[in-house]
Amino acid sequence: MNMTSNTPANAKKSVQWKRHFTWIVVLVLMVVALGYGFRPQPRQVDIATATRAPLQVTIEEEGKTRVIDRYVITAQVAGTTCRMDLNVGDTVTKHQVLVNINPLPSQALDPRAHAQAQAKVAAAKAALNAAQQNVGAAQADADLATKEVQRLQPLAEKGHVSIGQLDQAEAVKRSSVAALRSAVFAVDVAKYELAAAQTALQYTGDQSSNSADIIPVRAPIDGRVLKLQQECEGVVAPGTPLLEIGDTRSLEIATDVLSADAVKIKPGMKVLYERWGGELPLEGQVLRVEPVGFTKVSALGVEEQRVLVISGITSDPERWQNLGDGYRVESRFILWQQPDVLQIPLSALFRSGDQWALFVVNNNKAERRLVKVGQRNGLSAQILEGLAAGEAVITHPDDRIEEGVRVKAR
């Protein structure tokens, strides 16, 4: 009877217990879901791996090729040039006639100028006669002084005359010989002045048609025509530029760099020339860094002090034989390089006081670490201490990245 009466009560308690258990489970699941939903999410970051690879520290600037030996051919005399049959780029050989110059006719003299020219000829003749007479007088004085020295020298050796008298005679001899040389030079000057006066009088208003009077302008070297200044026929003055020639097989690279970078570049330093038109870079070597700078306005309107760095091409000439004067290249000066360097992206570093620091990813958490940095270029940095190869570092860390923050790769 007792067991029959307790059965409904037990069943009721069992139902209530199951109902309470169900609510407890629901509450626990809700708490777990809320906790999971509001737990801190890991920060998405960019991650790079520290690797060992070659590293270069370089300075890159734009340069231009130029001919090493450039010759500006000028007119030797005033005259009329014929039309040139040359074009820019034409090949010329040494001693080849580039252009002929027909000298201008002499200026015609009016009666007054003609009389003055005749007077100059007569004066030049008289000056020549006077100079010749002076030579005779100077010759006589020199002979007399020589004989006086020859007479006094044995007497001075025997003590009949003083050494001072002999020295005075030798001084007179030297003075007489110098005066003789001066008189001889004066005769030469008088002859040249007479020839000039006679030429001015003889060729007044004369224009010879003799082909021997035409002056040829010849090429000083084997090369190519770089520029034509006087292409058409016309009158030229002495020293007028006619054309420029040079040997395009001998090129150098002129690169203007910032003065702050120029002090880091030394003669003999290796250079790579890129974007010159070929598939592979050309190699070169710094020849000199010019000691004088100049001001150049950048594309942003900022005045910069620049310095020219002159370098030569050491690659096989057959590779760059199509380069000419004034061609553009990208010069990359190698300041430092090593074949096996532990390096990371430069963007992973930041300053922590007076030291360099970075964040290493350790067990999906950010770990702040101080490192010692060596060489740097625009993309990578050498790590000397504080990091091992294969470790992952965070690049471009922002203010939300702190010690212990959970992170994951973006």
Short mmCIF file of all heavy atoms in Angstrom, two decimals, residues 272-274 276 278-283 315 319 332:
data_model
loop_
_atom_site.label_atom_id
_atom_site.label_comp_id
_atom_site.label_asym_id
_atom_site.label_seq_id
_atom_site.Cartn_x
_atom_site.Cartn_y
_atom_site.Cartn_z
N LEU A 272 75.14 50.23 -60.44
CA LEU A 272 74.30 49.48 -61.36
C LEU A 272 73.41 50.46 -62.11
O LEU A 272 72.82 51.35 -61.50
CB LEU A 272 73.43 48.45 -60.61
CG LEU A 272 74.17 47.30 -59.93
CD1 LEU A 272 73.18 46.39 -59.22
CD2 LEU A 272 74.99 46.51 -60.93
N TYR A 273 73.33 50.30 -63.43
CA TYR A 273 72.50 51.17 -64.27
C TYR A 273 71.28 50.37 -64.71
O TYR A 273 71.41 49.36 -65.41
CB TYR A 273 73.28 51.66 -65.48
CG TYR A 273 74.58 52.33 -65.12
CD1 TYR A 273 75.80 51.75 -65.46
CD2 TYR A 273 74.59 53.53 -64.41
CE1 TYR A 273 76.99 52.36 -65.13
CE2 TYR A 273 75.78 54.13 -64.07
CZ TYR A 273 76.98 53.54 -64.43
OH TYR A 273 78.16 54.14 -64.09
N GLU A 274 70.11 50.84 -64.31
CA GLU A 274 68.86 50.16 -64.61
C GLU A 274 67.96 51.06 -65.45
O GLU A 274 68.17 52.26 -65.54
CB GLU A 274 68.16 49.76 -63.31
CG GLU A 274 69.00 48.84 -62.43
CD GLU A 274 68.36 48.60 -61.07
OE1 GLU A 274 67.63 49.50 -60.61
OE2 GLU A 274 68.61 47.53 -60.47
N TRP A 276 67.68 51.39 -68.58
CA TRP A 276 68.38 52.06 -69.67
C TRP A 276 67.92 51.58 -71.04
O TRP A 276 68.33 52.12 -72.07
CB TRP A 276 69.88 51.82 -69.54
CG TRP A 276 70.28 50.38 -69.60
CD1 TRP A 276 70.29 49.49 -68.58
CD2 TRP A 276 70.71 49.65 -70.75
NE1 TRP A 276 70.69 48.24 -69.00
CE2 TRP A 276 70.97 48.31 -70.34
CE3 TRP A 276 70.92 49.98 -72.09
CZ2 TRP A 276 71.41 47.34 -71.21
CZ3 TRP A 276 71.36 49.01 -72.96
CH2 TRP A 276 71.60 47.70 -72.53
N GLY A 278 67.83 48.01 -71.76
CA GLY A 278 68.19 46.61 -71.89
C GLY A 278 67.47 45.76 -70.87
O GLY A 278 66.85 46.26 -69.92
N GLU A 279 67.56 44.45 -71.05
CA GLU A 279 66.88 43.54 -70.13
C GLU A 279 67.58 43.44 -68.79
O GLU A 279 66.93 43.32 -67.76
CB GLU A 279 66.79 42.14 -70.79
CG GLU A 279 65.95 42.11 -72.06
CD GLU A 279 65.88 40.72 -72.66
OE1 GLU A 279 66.54 39.81 -72.08
OE2 GLU A 279 65.19 40.54 -73.67
N LEU A 280 68.91 43.46 -68.79
CA LEU A 280 69.68 43.32 -67.56
C LEU A 280 70.37 44.63 -67.22
O LEU A 280 70.72 45.41 -68.12
CB LEU A 280 70.72 42.20 -67.70
CG LEU A 280 70.17 40.80 -67.97
CD1 LEU A 280 71.31 39.82 -68.18
CD2 LEU A 280 69.27 40.34 -66.83
N PRO A 281 70.61 44.90 -65.93
CA PRO A 281 71.33 46.13 -65.56
C PRO A 281 72.77 46.11 -66.06
O PRO A 281 73.38 45.04 -66.23
CB PRO A 281 71.26 46.12 -64.02
CG PRO A 281 70.17 45.17 -63.67
CD PRO A 281 70.14 44.14 -64.76
N LEU A 282 73.30 47.29 -66.30
CA LEU A 282 74.70 47.44 -66.63
C LEU A 282 75.49 47.73 -65.36
O LEU A 282 74.97 48.30 -64.41
CB LEU A 282 74.90 48.59 -67.63
CG LEU A 282 74.24 48.45 -69.00
CD1 LEU A 282 74.45 49.72 -69.81
CD2 LEU A 282 74.80 47.25 -69.75
N GLU A 283 76.75 47.32 -65.35
CA GLU A 283 77.61 47.57 -64.20
C GLU A 283 78.55 48.72 -64.51
O GLU A 283 78.92 48.97 -65.65
CB GLU A 283 78.42 46.31 -63.87
CG GLU A 283 77.57 45.14 -63.39
CD GLU A 283 78.42 43.96 -62.99
OE1 GLU A 283 79.65 44.05 -63.11
OE2 GLU A 283 77.84 42.94 -62.55
N SER A 315 80.60 47.20 -68.05
CA SER A 315 80.03 46.05 -68.75
C SER A 315 80.57 45.97 -70.17
O SER A 315 81.15 46.93 -70.70
CB SER A 315 78.50 46.14 -68.76
OG SER A 315 77.97 46.10 -67.47
N ARG A 319 77.01 45.21 -75.18
CA ARG A 319 75.68 45.24 -74.58
C ARG A 319 75.06 46.63 -74.66
O ARG A 319 73.83 46.76 -74.69
CB ARG A 319 75.76 44.79 -73.12
CG ARG A 319 76.13 43.34 -72.92
CD ARG A 319 76.16 42.99 -71.44
NE ARG A 319 74.91 43.39 -70.79
CZ ARG A 319 74.76 43.46 -69.47
NH1 ARG A 319 75.79 43.18 -68.67
NH2 ARG A 319 73.61 43.83 -68.95
N ARG A 332 72.19 53.23 -59.56
CA ARG A 332 72.04 52.72 -58.21
C ARG A 332 73.44 52.50 -57.62
O ARG A 332 74.14 51.55 -57.97
CB ARG A 332 71.24 51.42 -58.21
CG ARG A 332 70.98 50.85 -56.84
CD ARG A 332 69.66 50.06 -56.82
NE ARG A 332 69.69 48.95 -57.76
CZ ARG A 332 70.02 47.70 -57.42
NH1 ARG A 332 70.35 47.42 -56.18
NH2 ARG A 332 69.98 46.75 -58.32
#
